[in-house]
CSV table of all heavy atoms in Angstrom, one decimal:
chain,number,residue,atom,x,y,z
A,834,GLN,N,-17.4,35.2,-3.0
A,834,GLN,CA,-18.6,34.6,-2.7
A,834,GLN,C,-18.8,33.4,-3.6
A,834,GLN,O,-18.1,33.2,-4.6
A,834,GLN,CB,-19.8,35.6,-3.0
A,834,GLN,CG,-19.9,36.7,-2.0
A,834,GLN,CD,-20.4,36.3,-0.7
A,834,GLN,OE1,-20.7,35.2,-0.4
A,834,GLN,NE2,-20.4,37.3,0.3
A,835,GLY,N,-19.8,32.5,-3.3
A,835,GLY,CA,-20.1,31.4,-4.1
A,835,GLY,C,-21.4,31.8,-4.9
A,835,GLY,O,-22.0,32.9,-4.6
A,836,LEU,N,-21.9,30.9,-5.7
A,836,LEU,CA,-23.1,31.2,-6.5
A,836,LEU,C,-24.3,31.0,-5.6
A,836,LEU,O,-25.4,31.6,-5.9
A,836,LEU,CB,-23.2,30.4,-7.7
A,836,LEU,CG,-22.2,30.8,-8.9
A,836,LEU,CD1,-22.4,29.8,-10.1
A,836,LEU,CD2,-22.5,32.2,-9.3
A,837,LEU,N,-24.3,30.2,-4.6
A,837,LEU,CA,-25.4,30.0,-3.7
A,837,LEU,C,-26.0,31.3,-3.1
A,837,LEU,O,-27.2,31.6,-3.3
A,837,LEU,CB,-25.1,28.9,-2.6
A,837,LEU,CG,-26.2,28.7,-1.6
A,837,LEU,CD1,-27.5,28.2,-2.3
A,837,LEU,CD2,-25.7,27.8,-0.5
A,838,PRO,N,-25.1,32.1,-2.4
A,838,PRO,CA,-25.7,33.3,-1.9
A,838,PRO,C,-26.1,34.3,-3.0
A,838,PRO,O,-27.1,35.1,-2.8
A,838,PRO,CB,-24.5,33.9,-1.0
A,838,PRO,CG,-23.3,33.2,-1.5
A,838,PRO,CD,-23.8,31.8,-1.9
A,839,VAL,N,-25.4,34.3,-4.1
A,839,VAL,CA,-25.8,35.2,-5.2
A,839,VAL,C,-27.2,34.9,-5.7
A,839,VAL,O,-28.1,35.8,-5.7
A,839,VAL,CB,-24.8,35.1,-6.4
A,839,VAL,CG1,-25.3,35.9,-7.6
A,839,VAL,CG2,-23.4,35.6,-6.0
A,840,PHE,N,-27.5,33.6,-5.9
A,840,PHE,CA,-28.8,33.2,-6.4
A,840,PHE,C,-29.9,33.3,-5.3
A,840,PHE,O,-31.1,33.5,-5.6
A,840,PHE,CB,-28.8,31.9,-7.1
A,840,PHE,CG,-28.3,32.0,-8.6
A,840,PHE,CD1,-27.0,31.5,-8.9
A,840,PHE,CD2,-29.1,32.5,-9.5
A,840,PHE,CE1,-26.6,31.7,-10.2
A,840,PHE,CE2,-28.7,32.6,-10.9
A,840,PHE,CZ,-27.4,32.2,-11.2
A,841,SER,N,-29.5,33.0,-4.1
A,841,SER,CA,-30.5,33.2,-3.0
A,841,SER,C,-31.0,34.6,-2.9
A,841,SER,O,-32.2,34.8,-2.8
A,841,SER,CB,-29.8,32.8,-1.7
A,841,SER,OG,-29.4,31.5,-1.6
A,842,ALA,N,-30.1,35.6,-3.0
A,842,ALA,CA,-30.5,37.0,-2.9
A,842,ALA,C,-31.2,37.4,-4.1
A,842,ALA,O,-32.3,38.1,-4.0
A,842,ALA,CB,-29.3,37.9,-2.6
A,843,LEU,N,-30.7,37.0,-5.3
A,843,LEU,CA,-31.4,37.4,-6.6
A,843,LEU,C,-32.8,36.8,-6.7
A,843,LEU,O,-33.8,37.5,-7.0
A,843,LEU,CB,-30.6,37.0,-7.8
A,843,LEU,CG,-29.2,37.7,-8.0
A,843,LEU,CD1,-28.5,37.2,-9.2
A,843,LEU,CD2,-29.4,39.2,-8.0
A,896,ALA,N,-27.1,42.2,0.4
A,896,ALA,CA,-27.9,41.1,0.6
A,896,ALA,C,-27.2,39.8,0.2
A,896,ALA,O,-27.3,38.8,0.9
A,896,ALA,CB,-29.2,41.2,-0.4
A,897,ILE,N,-26.3,39.8,-0.8
A,897,ILE,CA,-25.5,38.7,-1.2
A,897,ILE,C,-24.5,38.3,-0.1
A,897,ILE,O,-24.4,37.2,0.3
A,897,ILE,CB,-24.8,38.9,-2.5
A,897,ILE,CG1,-25.8,39.0,-3.6
A,897,ILE,CG2,-23.8,37.8,-2.8
A,897,ILE,CD1,-25.3,39.4,-5.0
A,898,ALA,N,-23.9,39.4,0.5
A,898,ALA,CA,-22.9,39.2,1.6
A,898,ALA,C,-23.6,38.5,2.8
A,898,ALA,O,-23.1,37.6,3.4
A,898,ALA,CB,-22.3,40.5,2.0
A,899,ALA,N,-24.9,39.0,3.1
A,899,ALA,CA,-25.6,38.5,4.3
A,899,ALA,C,-26.0,37.0,4.0
A,899,ALA,O,-25.8,36.1,4.9
A,899,ALA,CB,-26.9,39.3,4.5
A,900,ALA,N,-26.4,36.7,2.8
A,900,ALA,CA,-26.7,35.3,2.4
A,900,ALA,C,-25.4,34.4,2.5
A,900,ALA,O,-25.5,33.3,2.9
A,900,ALA,CB,-27.3,35.2,1.1
A,901,GLY,N,-24.3,35.0,2.1
A,901,GLY,CA,-23.0,34.3,2.1
A,901,GLY,C,-22.6,33.9,3.6
A,901,GLY,O,-22.2,32.8,3.8
A,902,ARG,N,-22.8,34.9,4.5
A,902,ARG,CA,-22.5,34.6,5.9
A,902,ARG,C,-23.4,33.5,6.4
A,902,ARG,O,-23.0,32.6,7.2
A,902,ARG,CB,-22.7,35.9,6.7
A,902,ARG,CG,-21.6,36.9,6.5
A,902,ARG,CD,-21.6,38.0,7.5
A,902,ARG,NE,-22.8,38.8,7.4
A,902,ARG,CZ,-22.8,39.9,6.6
A,902,ARG,NH1,-21.8,40.3,5.9
A,902,ARG,NH2,-23.9,40.6,6.6
A,904,ALA,N,-24.8,31.1,4.7
A,904,ALA,CA,-24.4,29.8,4.0
A,904,ALA,C,-23.1,29.3,4.7
A,904,ALA,O,-23.0,28.1,5.0
A,904,ALA,CB,-24.2,30.0,2.6
Side-chain angles (χ1 to χ4, degrees):
Q834 292 288 357
L836 286 180
L837 173 62
V839 172
F840 278 105
S841 297
L843 293 182
I897 291 170
R902 289 192 291 272

